[in-house]
Amino acid sequence: MIKDQDDLSQGAKTPVSAKRAGRNQAPKDLTKTPSARSKARRFALQAHYQIQLNDCSVASVEEQFLQDHDMKRVDTEYFHELLSGTTVHRRELVALITPTLDRSFDSLDPIEKAILFIGCFELVHRIDVPYRVVINEGIELARQFGATESHKYINSILDRLAKGHRTSERGR
């Protein structure tokens, strides 16, 4: 009898048919839930959006988010790092992003700007985060919060940035 992957990982003590009988739903530990860092990125995006529209300070928005939102399963240190890092390095990030655009930086949608700030910051200053994760997270944020086709635009920009700043990781 050929064993499937589940049989191999569980020692094949139960017949395959018995295991598959109760598989209408995935086990709780295998369901997709956003990671603490994904949640930090999502809140950082929302905070950036609020900052852009209301012209308020990063510190006040961060404090508001920490008080008003359920942050129990959020990497709040990463949330802080994304907000403060994108603020401190704003000019550098704009200078890196602008050559990859097909229009002016100021003409970008506030959601696209926020996603690109976060993604570019991670690509340049958080090399511990794989570039594919940065790109995928940016795409997911654009799908969730951006315009209909913005995820494609975000993908192309972050991919260009990764080619320029993660050459050793990309193997080129």
Side-chain angles (χ1 to χ4, degrees):
M1 172 166 82
I2 298 175
K3 298 177 183 180
D4 68 353
Q5 189 63 31
D6 287 339
D7 291 330
L8 295 173
S9 65
Q10 296 177 8
K13 294 179 183 175
T14 308
V16 174
S17 59
K19 287 182 195 169
R20 290 199 176 124
R23 281 198 181 168
N24 291 339
Q25 296 179 354
K28 287 184 181 180
D29 59 337
L30 295 179
T31 57
K32 283 192 169 187
T33 57
S35 73
R37 279 202 174 169
S38 292
K39 290 178 183 179
R41 287 180 189 97
R42 187 174 54 216
F43 281 122
L45 166 68
Q46 293 170 337
H48 269 287
Y49 184 78
Q50 184 172 330
I51 291 164
Q52 288 179 66
L53 293 185
N54 297 324
D55 195 31
C56 42
S57 76
V58 173
S60 66
V61 171
E62 182 178 4
E63 182 179 326
Q64 176 194 352
F65 268 73
L66 292 172
Q67 290 177 0
D68 294 349
H69 297 281
D70 180 12
M71 302 290 251
K72 291 176 190 164
R73 296 186 178 169
V74 177
D75 185 341
T76 54
E77 289 179 24
Y78 204 66
F79 170 71
H80 171 76
E81 183 177 351
L82 291 174
L83 281 181
S84 62
T86 53
T87 302
V88 168
H89 298 284
R90 182 179 175 82
R91 286 188 180 167
E92 172 197 4
L93 299 175
V94 171
L96 293 170
I97 294 168
T98 300
T100 65
L101 303 175
D102 61 353
R103 56 186 177 234
S104 74
F105 184 82
D106 292 334
S107 69
L108 291 175
D109 178 80
I111 295 291
E112 292 173 339
K113 283 182 187 176
I115 294 169
L116 290 174
F117 275 135
I118 292 166
C120 186
F121 174 78
E122 287 185 297
L123 286 170
V124 175
H125 295 283
R126 288 304 307 254
I127 59 170
D128 59 309
V129 180
Y131 81 93
R132 291 176 193 246
V133 171
V134 174
I135 293 172
N136 287 336
E137 290 284 333
I139 291 167
E140 288 307 312
L141 289 171
R143 282 188 175 141
Q144 187 174 5
F145 295 101
T148 306
E149 298 293 317
S150 69
H151 68 280
K152 294 178 183 177
Y153 190 65
I154 295 297
N155 182 23
S156 67
I157 301 303
L158 291 178
D159 188 56
R160 284 185 217 141
L161 288 166
K163 284 179 183 173
H165 296 282
R166 296 288 188 95
T167 53
S168 62
E169 184 181 353
R170 292 178 61 101
R172 294 179 188 164

